[in-house]
Amino acid sequence: MKWLATFSAIGAGVTIATLLGAWAVTGFATLGLHGAVLGAMILGVVLSAGLAIGLMGLVFTSGRSRYDEAAYRYELVKDRDE
């Protein structure tokens, strides 16, 4: 599970670095948004990306753990018996 935390931290860091890079280049002035709206937008992007990264990490963890194989085999046997 340590790799999941590392993967999530790296993903969040890349997202934040990308947003900071865009802010350094354009200053977000072309958007014409107030500071509170811009802050909420950045927070929404960072949290959404963090959620997506975390969920994908859980999908990979589930795939590697092989817990689902027993349920899959049970469904195959159950379908065959019917």
Side-chain angles (χ1 to χ4, degrees):
M1 284 308 247
K2 184 178 179 182
W3 72 269
L4 181 60
T6 304
F7 180 73
S8 297
I10 290 171
V14 168
T15 302
I16 291 171
T18 302
L19 286 171
L20 287 175
W23 176 69
V25 171
T26 65
F28 294 126
T30 58
L31 297 176
L33 300 175
H34 296 288
V37 175
L38 186 61
M41 183 180 69
I42 291 172
L43 184 64
V45 168
V46 169
L47 290 177
S48 296
L51 178 65
I53 290 166
L55 289 174
M56 285 305 297
L58 289 173
V59 167
F60 291 132
T61 301
S62 176
R64 289 181 180 180
S65 67
R66 301 190 184 261
Y67 288 129
D68 298 331
E69 286 186 17
Y72 177 70
R73 285 191 210 119
Y74 174 77
E75 287 295 321
L76 288 176
V77 170
K78 188 175 87 171
D79 288 343
R80 187 179 60 202
D81 292 340
E82 291 177 354

Coordinates of all heavy atoms in Angstrom, one line a residue:
M1 N 0.8 -1.2 0.0 CA 0.0 0.0 0.0 C 0.9 1.3 0.0 O 0.3 2.3 -0.3 CB -0.9 0.0 1.2 CG -2.1 -0.9 1.1 SD -3.0 -0.7 -0.4 CE -4.5 0.0 0.2
K2 N 2.1 1.1 0.3 CA 3.0 2.3 0.3 C 3.1 2.9 -1.1 O 3.2 4.1 -1.3 CB 4.4 1.9 0.9 CG 5.3 3.1 1.0 CD 6.6 2.7 1.6 CE 7.5 3.9 1.7 NZ 8.8 3.6 2.2
W3 N 3.1 2.0 -2.1 CA 3.2 2.5 -3.5 C 2.0 3.3 -3.9 O 2.1 4.2 -4.7 CB 3.4 1.3 -4.4 CG 2.2 0.5 -4.6 CD1 1.9 -0.6 -3.9 CD2 1.2 0.7 -5.6 NE1 0.7 -1.1 -4.3 CE2 0.2 -0.4 -5.4 CE3 1.0 1.6 -6.6 CZ2 -0.9 -0.5 -6.1 CZ3 -0.2 1.5 -7.3 CH2 -1.1 0.5 -7.1
L4 N 0.8 3.0 -3.3 CA -0.4 3.7 -3.6 C -0.3 5.1 -3.1 O -0.6 6.1 -3.8 CB -1.6 3.0 -3.0 CG -2.9 3.6 -3.3 CD1 -3.2 3.7 -4.8 CD2 -4.0 2.8 -2.6
A5 N 0.3 5.3 -1.9 CA 0.4 6.6 -1.3 C 1.5 7.4 -2.2 O 1.3 8.6 -2.4 CB 0.9 6.6 0.1
T6 N 2.5 6.7 -2.6 CA 3.6 7.4 -3.4 C 3.0 7.8 -4.7 O 3.2 8.9 -5.2 CB 4.8 6.4 -3.6 OG1 5.3 6.0 -2.3 CG2 5.9 7.1 -4.4
F7 N 2.2 6.9 -5.4 CA 1.6 7.2 -6.6 C 0.7 8.3 -6.6 O 0.7 9.2 -7.4 CB 0.9 5.9 -7.1 CG 0.2 6.0 -8.4 CD1 0.9 6.1 -9.6 CD2 -1.2 6.1 -8.5 CE1 0.2 6.2 -10.8 CE2 -1.9 6.2 -9.7 CZ -1.1 6.3 -10.9
S8 N -0.1 8.4 -5.5 CA -1.1 9.5 -5.3 C -0.4 10.8 -5.1 O -0.8 11.8 -5.6 CB -2.0 9.2 -4.1 OG -2.8 8.0 -4.4
A9 N 0.7 10.8 -4.3 CA 1.4 12.0 -4.0 C 2.1 12.5 -5.2 O 2.1 13.7 -5.5 CB 2.5 11.7 -2.9
I10 N 2.7 11.6 -6.1 CA 3.3 12.1 -7.3 C 2.3 12.6 -8.3 O 2.5 13.7 -8.9 CB 4.1 10.9 -7.9 CG1 5.3 10.6 -7.1 CG2 4.5 11.2 -9.4 CD1 6.1 9.3 -7.5
G11 N 1.2 12.0 -8.4 CA 0.1 12.5 -9.3 C -0.4 13.8 -8.8 O -0.6 14.7 -9.7
A12 N -0.6 14.0 -7.5 CA -1.1 15.3 -7.0 C 0.0 16.4 -7.2 O -0.3 17.5 -7.6 CB -1.4 15.2 -5.5
G13 N 1.3 16.0 -7.0 CA 2.3 16.9 -7.3 C 2.5 17.4 -8.7 O 2.7 18.6 -9.0
V14 N 2.3 16.5 -9.6 CA 2.3 16.8 -11.1 C 1.2 17.7 -11.4 O 1.3 18.7 -12.2 CB 2.3 15.5 -11.9 CG1 2.1 15.8 -13.4 CG2 3.6 14.8 -11.8
T15 N 0.0 17.5 -10.9 CA -1.2 18.3 -11.1 C -0.9 19.7 -10.6 O -1.2 20.7 -11.3 CB -2.4 17.7 -10.5 OG1 -2.6 16.4 -11.0 CG2 -3.6 18.6 -10.8
I16 N -0.4 19.8 -9.4 CA -0.2 21.1 -8.8 C 0.9 21.9 -9.6 O 0.8 23.1 -9.8 CB 0.2 21.0 -7.3 CG1 -1.1 20.5 -6.5 CG2 0.7 22.3 -6.7 CD1 -0.8 20.2 -5.1
A17 N 2.0 21.1 -10.0 CA 3.0 21.8 -10.7 C 2.5 22.3 -12.1 O 3.0 23.3 -12.5 CB 4.2 20.8 -10.9
T18 N 1.7 21.5 -12.7 CA 1.1 22.0 -14.0 C 0.3 23.2 -13.8 O 0.4 24.2 -14.6 CB 0.2 20.8 -14.6 OG1 1.0 19.7 -14.8 CG2 -0.4 21.2 -15.9
L19 N -0.5 23.3 -12.8 CA -1.3 24.5 -12.5 C -0.5 25.7 -12.2 O -0.7 26.8 -12.7 CB -2.3 24.2 -11.4 CG -3.5 23.3 -11.8 CD1 -4.3 23.0 -10.5 CD2 -4.4 24.1 -12.8
L20 N 0.6 25.4 -11.4 CA 1.5 26.5 -11.1 C 2.3 27.0 -12.3 O 2.5 28.2 -12.5 CB 2.5 26.1 -10.0 CG 1.9 26.0 -8.6 CD1 2.9 25.5 -7.6 CD2 1.3 27.3 -8.1
G21 N 2.6 26.1 -13.2 CA 3.3 26.4 -14.4 C 2.4 27.3 -15.3 O 2.8 28.3 -15.9
A22 N 1.1 26.9 -15.4 CA 0.2 27.6 -16.2 C 0.0 29.0 -15.6 O -0.1 30.0 -16.3 CB -1.2 26.9 -16.3
W23 N -0.1 29.1 -14.3 CA -0.2 30.4 -13.6 C 1.0 31.3 -13.9 O 0.9 32.5 -14.1 CB -0.4 30.2 -12.2 CG -0.5 31.5 -11.4 CD1 -1.5 32.4 -11.5 CD2 0.5 32.0 -10.5 NE1 -1.2 33.5 -10.6 CE2 0.0 33.2 -10.0 CE3 1.7 31.5 -10.0 CZ2 0.7 34.0 -9.1 CZ3 2.4 32.3 -9.1 CH2 1.9 33.5 -8.7
A24 N 2.2 30.7 -13.8 CA 3.4 31.5 -14.1 C 3.5 32.0 -15.5 O 4.0 33.1 -15.7 CB 4.6 30.6 -13.7
V25 N 3.0 31.2 -16.4 CA 3.1 31.7 -17.8 C 2.1 32.7 -18.2 O 2.4 33.7 -18.8 CB 3.0 30.4 -18.8 CG1 2.9 30.9 -20.2 CG2 4.2 29.5 -18.6
T26 N 0.8 32.4 -17.8 CA -0.3 33.3 -18.2 C -0.8 34.2 -17.1 O -1.5 35.2 -17.3 CB -1.5 32.5 -18.8 OG1 -2.0 31.7 -17.8 CG2 -1.0 31.7 -20.0
G27 N -0.6 33.7 -15.9 CA -1.1 34.5 -14.7 C -2.6 34.3 -14.6 O -3.3 35.0 -13.8
F28 N -3.2 33.5 -15.4 CA -4.7 33.3 -15.4 C -5.5 34.6 -15.6 O -6.7 34.7 -15.4 CB -5.2 32.6 -14.1 CG -4.7 31.2 -13.9 CD1 -4.1 30.9 -12.7 CD2 -4.9 30.3 -14.9 CE1 -3.6 29.6 -12.5 CE2 -4.5 29.0 -14.7 CZ -3.8 28.6 -13.5
A29 N -4.8 35.6 -16.1 CA -5.4 36.9 -16.3 C -6.4 36.9 -17.5 O -7.4 37.6 -17.5 CB -4.4 38.0 -16.5
T30 N -6.1 36.0 -18.4 CA -7.0 35.9 -19.6 C -8.3 35.3 -19.3 O -9.3 35.4 -20.1 CB -6.3 35.1 -20.7 OG1 -6.0 33.8 -20.2 CG2 -5.0 35.8 -21.1
L31 N -8.5 34.7 -18.1 CA -9.7 34.0 -17.8 C -10.7 35.1 -17.3 O -11.9 34.8 -17.4 CB -9.5 33.0 -16.7 CG -8.7 31.8 -17.1 CD1 -8.5 30.8 -15.9 CD2 -9.3 31.0 -18.3
G32 N -10.3 36.2 -16.7 CA -11.2 37.2 -16.2 C -12.0 36.8 -15.0 O -13.1 37.2 -14.8
L33 N -11.4 36.0 -14.1 CA -12.0 35.5 -12.9 C -11.5 36.2 -11.7 O -10.4 36.6 -11.6 CB -11.8 34.0 -12.8 CG -12.3 33.1 -13.9 CD1 -11.9 31.6 -13.7 CD2 -13.8 33.2 -14.1
H34 N -12.4 36.3 -10.7 CA -12.0 36.8 -9.4 C -11.1 35.8 -8.7 O -11.2 34.6 -9.0 CB -13.2 37.2 -8.6 CG -14.0 38.3 -9.2 ND1 -13.5 39.6 -9.3 CD2 -15.2 38.3 -9.8 CE1 -14.4 40.4 -9.9 NE2 -15.5 39.6 -10.3
G35 N -10.5 36.3 -7.6 CA -9.6 35.4 -6.9 C -10.3 34.2 -6.2 O -9.8 33.1 -6.3
A36 N -11.5 34.4 -5.7 CA -12.2 33.3 -5.0 C -12.6 32.3 -6.0 O -12.6 31.1 -5.8 CB -13.4 33.9 -4.3
V37 N -13.1 32.7 -7.2 CA -13.6 31.8 -8.2 C -12.4 31.0 -8.7 O -12.5 29.8 -8.9 CB -14.3 32.6 -9.3 CG1 -14.6 31.6 -10.5 CG2 -15.5 33.3 -8.8
L38 N -11.3 31.7 -8.9 CA -10.1 31.0 -9.4 C -9.5 30.0 -8.4 O -9.2 28.9 -8.8 CB -9.0 32.0 -9.7 CG -7.7 31.5 -10.4 CD1 -8.1 30.9 -11.7 CD2 -6.7 32.7 -10.6
G39 N -9.6 30.4 -7.1 CA -9.1 29.4 -6.1 C -10.0 28.2 -6.0 O -9.5 27.1 -5.8
A40 N -11.3 28.4 -6.1 CA -12.3 27.3 -6.1 C -12.1 26.4 -7.3 O -12.1 25.2 -7.2 CB -13.7 27.8 -6.1
M41 N -11.8 27.0 -8.5 CA -11.6 26.2 -9.7 C -10.3 25.4 -9.5 O -10.3 24.2 -9.8 CB -11.4 27.1 -10.9 CG -11.3 26.4 -12.2 SD -11.1 27.5 -13.6 CE -9.5 28.2 -13.3
I42 N -9.2 26.0 -9.0 CA -8.0 25.2 -8.9 C -8.1 24.1 -7.8 O -7.7 23.0 -8.0 CB -6.8 26.2 -8.5 CG1 -6.5 27.1 -9.6 CG2 -5.6 25.4 -8.0 CD1 -5.5 28.2 -9.3
L43 N -8.8 24.4 -6.7 CA -9.1 23.4 -5.7 C -9.9 22.3 -6.3 O -9.6 21.1 -6.0 CB -9.8 24.0 -4.5 CG -10.0 23.1 -3.3 CD1 -8.7 22.7 -2.7 CD2 -10.9 23.8 -2.3
G44 N -10.9 22.6 -7.1 CA -11.7 21.5 -7.7 C -10.9 20.6 -8.7 O -11.1 19.4 -8.7
V45 N -10.0 21.2 -9.4 CA -9.2 20.5 -10.3 C -8.3 19.6 -9.6 O -8.1 18.4 -9.9 CB -8.4 21.4 -11.3 CG1 -7.3 20.7 -12.0 CG2 -9.3 22.1 -12.3
V46 N -7.6 20.1 -8.5 CA -6.7 19.3 -7.7 C -7.4 18.2 -7.0 O -6.9 17.0 -7.0 CB -5.9 20.2 -6.7 CG1 -5.1 19.4 -5.7 CG2 -5.0 21.2 -7.5
L47 N -8.6 18.4 -6.4 CA -9.3 17.4 -5.7 C -9.8 16.3 -6.7 O -9.8 15.1 -6.4 CB -10.4 18.0 -4.9 CG -10.0 18.8 -3.7 CD1 -11.2 19.4 -2.9 CD2 -9.1 18.0 -2.7
S48 N -10.3 16.7 -7.8 CA -10.8 15.8 -8.8 C -9.7 14.9 -9.3 O -9.9 13.7 -9.5 CB -11.5 16.5 -10.0 OG -12.6 17.2 -9.6
A49 N -8.6 15.5 -9.6 CA -7.4 14.7 -10.1 C -7.0 13.8 -9.0 O -6.6 12.6 -9.2 CB -6.3 15.6 -10.5
G50 N -6.9 14.2 -7.7 CA -6.5 13.4 -6.6 C -7.5 12.2 -6.4 O -7.1 11.1 -6.2
L51 N -8.8 12.4 -6.6 CA -9.8 11.4 -6.5 C -9.6 10.4 -7.6 O -9.6 9.1 -7.4 CB -11.2 11.9 -6.5 CG -12.3 10.9 -6.5 CD1 -12.3 10.2 -5.1 CD2 -13.6 11.6 -6.7
A52 N -9.4 10.8 -8.8 CA -9.2 10.0 -10.0 C -7.9 9.1 -9.8 O -7.9 7.9 -10.1 CB -9.1 10.8 -11.3
I53 N -6.8 9.7 -9.3 CA -5.6 9.0 -9.1 C -5.8 8.0 -8.0 O -5.3 6.8 -8.2 CB -4.5 10.0 -8.8 CG1 -4.1 10.9 -10.0 CG2 -3.2 9.3 -8.3 CD1 -3.3 12.1 -9.7
G54 N -6.4 8.3 -7.0 CA -6.7 7.4 -5.9 C -7.5 6.2 -6.3 O -7.2 5.0 -6.0
L55 N -8.6 6.5 -7.1 CA -9.5 5.4 -7.5 C -8.7 4.5 -8.5 O -8.9 3.2 -8.5 CB -10.7 5.9 -8.1 CG -11.7 6.6 -7.2 CD1 -12.9 7.2 -7.9 CD2 -12.2 5.6 -6.2
M56 N -7.9 5.0 -9.4 CA -7.2 4.2 -10.3 C -6.2 3.3 -9.6 O -5.9 2.2 -9.9 CB -6.5 5.0 -11.4 CG -7.4 5.6 -12.4 SD -8.3 4.3 -13.3 CE -7.1 3.3 -14.0
G57 N -5.6 3.9 -8.5 CA -4.7 3.1 -7.7 C -5.4 1.9 -7.0 O -4.8 0.8 -6.9
L58 N -6.6 2.2 -6.6 CA -7.4 1.1 -6.0 C -7.8 0.0 -7.0 O -7.8 -1.2 -6.7 CB -8.6 1.6 -5.3 CG -8.4 2.5 -4.0 CD1 -9.7 3.1 -3.6 CD2 -7.8 1.6 -3.0
V59 N -8.0 0.4 -8.2 CA -8.3 -0.5 -9.3 C -7.1 -1.4 -9.5 O -7.2 -2.6 -9.6 CB -8.7 0.2 -10.6 CG1 -8.7 -0.8 -11.8 CG2 -10.1 0.8 -10.4
F60 N -5.9 -0.8 -9.6 CA -4.7 -1.6 -9.8 C -4.4 -2.5 -8.6 O -4.0 -3.7 -8.8 CB -3.5 -0.7 -10.0 CG -3.5 0.0 -11.3 CD1 -3.3 1.3 -11.4 CD2 -3.9 -0.7 -12.5 CE1 -3.3 2.0 -12.6 CE2 -3.9 0.0 -13.7 CZ -3.6 1.3 -13.8
T61 N -4.7 -2.0 -7.4 CA -4.5 -2.9 -6.2 C -5.5 -4.1 -6.2 O -5.1 -5.2 -5.9 CB -4.8 -2.0 -4.9 OG1 -3.8 -1.0 -4.9 CG2 -4.6 -2.9 -3.7
S62 N -6.7 -3.8 -6.6 CA -7.7 -4.9 -6.7 C -7.3 -5.9 -7.7 O -7.5 -7.1 -7.5 CB -9.1 -4.3 -7.0 OG -10.0 -5.3 -7.1
G63 N -6.8 -5.4 -8.8 CA -6.4 -6.4 -9.9 C -5.2 -7.2 -9.5 O -5.1 -8.4 -9.9
R64 N -4.3 -6.7 -8.7 CA -3.1 -7.5 -8.3 C -3.4 -8.4 -7.2 O -2.7 -9.4 -7.0 CB -2.0 -6.5 -7.9 CG -1.4 -5.8 -9.0 CD -0.3 -4.9 -8.5 NE 0.3 -4.1 -9.6 CZ 1.3 -3.3 -9.5 NH1 1.8 -3.1 -8.3 NH2 1.8 -2.7 -10.5
S65 N -4.4 -8.1 -6.4 CA -4.7 -8.9 -5.2 C -5.3 -10.2 -5.4 O -5.3 -11.1 -4.6 CB -5.6 -8.1 -4.2 OG -6.9 -7.9 -4.7
R66 N -6.0 -10.4 -6.6 CA -6.6 -11.6 -7.0 C -7.8 -12.0 -6.1 O -8.2 -13.2 -6.1 CB -5.6 -12.7 -7.2 CG -4.5 -12.4 -8.1 CD -3.7 -13.6 -8.4 NE -2.6 -13.3 -9.3 CZ -2.6 -13.5 -10.6 NH1 -3.7 -14.0 -11.2 NH2 -1.6 -13.1 -11.3
Y67 N -8.4 -11.1 -5.4 CA -9.5 -11.4 -4.5 C -10.8 -11.7 -5.4 O -11.7 -12.4 -5.0 CB -9.9 -10.3 -3.6 CG -8.9 -10.1 -2.4 CD1 -8.3 -8.9 -2.2 CD2 -8.6 -11.2 -1.6 CE1 -7.4 -8.8 -1.1 CE2 -7.7 -11.1 -0.6 CZ -7.1 -9.8 -0.3 OH -6.2 -9.7 0.7
D68 N -10.8 -11.1 -6.6 CA -12.0 -11.2 -7.4 C -12.0 -12.5 -8.2 O -13.1 -12.9 -8.7 CB -12.0 -10.1 -8.5 CG -12.1 -8.7 -7.8 OD1 -12.7 -8.6 -6.7 OD2 -11.6 -7.7 -8.4
E69 N -11.0 -13.3 -8.2 CA -10.9 -14.5 -9.0 C -11.9 -15.6 -8.4 O -12.5 -16.3 -9.1 CB -9.5 -15.0 -9.1 CG -8.7 -14.3 -10.1 CD -7.3 -14.9 -10.3 OE1 -7.2 -16.1 -10.0 OE2 -6.5 -14.2 -10.8
A70 N -12.0 -15.6 -7.0 CA -12.8 -16.6 -6.4 C -14.3 -16.3 -6.8 O -15.1 -17.2 -7.0 CB -12.6 -16.6 -4.9
A71 N -14.7 -15.0 -6.8 CA -16.0 -14.7 -7.1 C -16.3 -15.0 -8.6 O -17.4 -15.5 -9.0 CB -16.3 -13.2 -6.9
Y72 N -15.3 -14.8 -9.5 CA -15.5 -15.1 -10.9 C -15.6 -16.6 -11.1 O -16.5 -17.0 -11.9 CB -14.2 -14.6 -11.6 CG -14.3 -14.9 -13.1 CD1 -15.2 -14.2 -14.0 CD2 -13.4 -15.8 -13.7 CE1 -15.2 -14.5 -15.3 CE2 -13.4 -16.1 -15.0 CZ -14.4 -15.4 -15.8 OH -14.4 -15.7 -17.2
R73 N -14.8 -17.4 -10.4 CA -14.9 -18.8 -10.5 C -16.3 -19.3 -10.0 O -16.9 -20.2 -10.6 CB -13.8 -19.5 -9.8 CG -12.5 -19.4 -10.5 CD -11.5 -20.4 -9.8 NE -10.2 -19.8 -10.0 CZ -9.4 -19.4 -9.0 NH1 -9.7 -19.6 -7.8 NH2 -8.2 -18.9 -9.3
Y74 N -16.8 -18.7 -8.9 CA -18.1 -19.1 -8.4 C -19.2 -18.8 -9.4 O -20.1 -19.6 -9.6 CB -18.3 -18.3 -7.1 CG -19.7 -18.5 -6.5 CD1 -20.0 -19.7 -5.9 CD2 -20.7 -17.6 -6.7 CE1 -21.3 -19.9 -5.4 CE2 -22.0 -17.8 -6.2 CZ -22.3 -19.0 -5.6 OH -23.5 -19.2 -5.1
E75 N -19.1 -17.7 -10.1 CA -20.1 -17.3 -11.1 C -20.0 -18.3 -12.3 O -21.1 -18.7 -12.8 CB -19.9 -15.9 -11.6 CG -20.3 -14.8 -10.6 CD -21.8 -14.9 -10.4 OE1 -22.6 -15.1 -11.3 OE2 -22.2 -14.7 -9.2
L76 N -18.9 -18.8 -12.7 CA -18.7 -19.7 -13.7 C -19.4 -21.1 -13.3 O -20.1 -21.7 -14.1 CB -17.3 -20.0 -14.1 CG -16.6 -18.8 -14.9 CD1 -15.1 -19.2 -15.1 CD2 -17.3 -18.6 -16.2
V77 N -19.1 -21.5 -12.1 CA -19.7 -22.8 -11.6 C -21.2 -22.7 -11.5 O -21.9 -23.6 -11.9 CB -19.0 -23.2 -10.3 CG1 -19.8 -24.4 -9.7 CG2 -17.6 -23.5 -10.5
K78 N -21.7 -21.5 -11.0 CA -23.1 -21.3 -10.8 C -23.8 -21.3 -12.1 O -24.9 -21.9 -12.3 CB -23.3 -20.0 -10.0 CG -24.8 -19.8 -9.6 CD -25.0 -18.6 -8.8 CE -25.2 -17.4 -9.7 NZ -25.6 -16.2 -9.1
D79 N -23.2 -20.6 -13.1 CA -23.9 -20.6 -14.5 C -23.9 -22.0 -15.1 O -24.8 -22.3 -15.8 CB -23.1 -19.6 -15.3 CG -23.4 -18.1 -14.9 OD1 -24.4 -17.9 -14.2 OD2 -22.6 -17.3 -15.3
R80 N -22.8 -22.7 -14.9 CA -22.7 -24.1 -15.5 C -23.8 -25.0 -14.9 O -24.3 -25.8 -15.6 CB -21.3 -24.6 -15.3 CG -21.1 -25.9 -16.1 CD -19.7 -26.4 -15.9 NE -19.5 -26.6 -14.5 CZ -18.3 -26.7 -13.9 NH1 -17.2 -26.5 -14.6 NH2 -18.1 -26.9 -12.6
D81 N -24.0 -24.9 -13.6 CA -25.0 -25.7 -12.9 C -26.4 -25.4 -13.3 O -27.3 -26.3 -13.2 CB -24.8 -25.7 -11.4 CG -23.5 -26.3 -11.0 OD1 -22.9 -27.0 -11.7 OD2 -23.0 -25.9 -9.8
E82 N -26.7 -24.2 -13.7 CA -28.1 -23.8 -14.0 C -28.5 -24.3 -15.3 O -28.8 -24.9 -16.1 CB -28.2 -22.3 -14.0 CG -28.1 -21.7 -12.7 CD -28.2 -20.2 -12.7 OE1 -28.2 -19.6 -13.8 OE2 -28.2 -19.6 -11.6

